[in-house]
Amino acid sequence: MTRPVFAVERYDDSGGGSAGRPPSPTAPGVRLVAAVRLPADEVVLAIVEGPDADVVAEAMAEVGWPGHRVNPAVLLCPWGEQK
């Protein structure tokens, strides 16, 4: 059974990419799976495993990377799996 994943969205309107790469959360049961920066949209999306959205949001804020939105997500192609 797969664990729930969430998209943590963080906006960066500085023009300098200050949202940057999210740090790995240290909370038990929360894991950074992947991240992607969309420069044209000035946003970074972090894909994070965790028990629920509130726990994921708190864990990311604790490591200095609060998200502007945290939504349930569906991982279509697991990291490292290429077909």
Side-chain angles (χ1 to χ4, degrees), residues 4-46:
V5 292
F6 299 87
V8 180
E9 187 173 348
R10 182 165 173 182
Y11 306 116
D12 176 23
D13 59 3
S14 71
S18 66
R21 181 175 186 256
S24 293
T26 57
V30 180
R31 181 178 78 93
L32 177 64
V33 176
V36 61
R37 184 167 192 277
L38 307 172
D41 293 330
E42 297 179 330
V43 68
V44 177
L45 296 174

Side-chain angles (χ1 to χ4, degrees), residues 2 9-10 13 15-17 21-23 27-28 31 38-40 49 52 54 56-57 60 67 72 76-77:
T2 60
E9 187 173 348
R10 182 165 173 182
D13 59 3
R21 181 175 186 256
R31 181 178 78 93
L38 307 172
E49 285 182 339
D52 63 52
D54 291 336
V56 167
M60 294 302 284
L76 300 177
C77 183

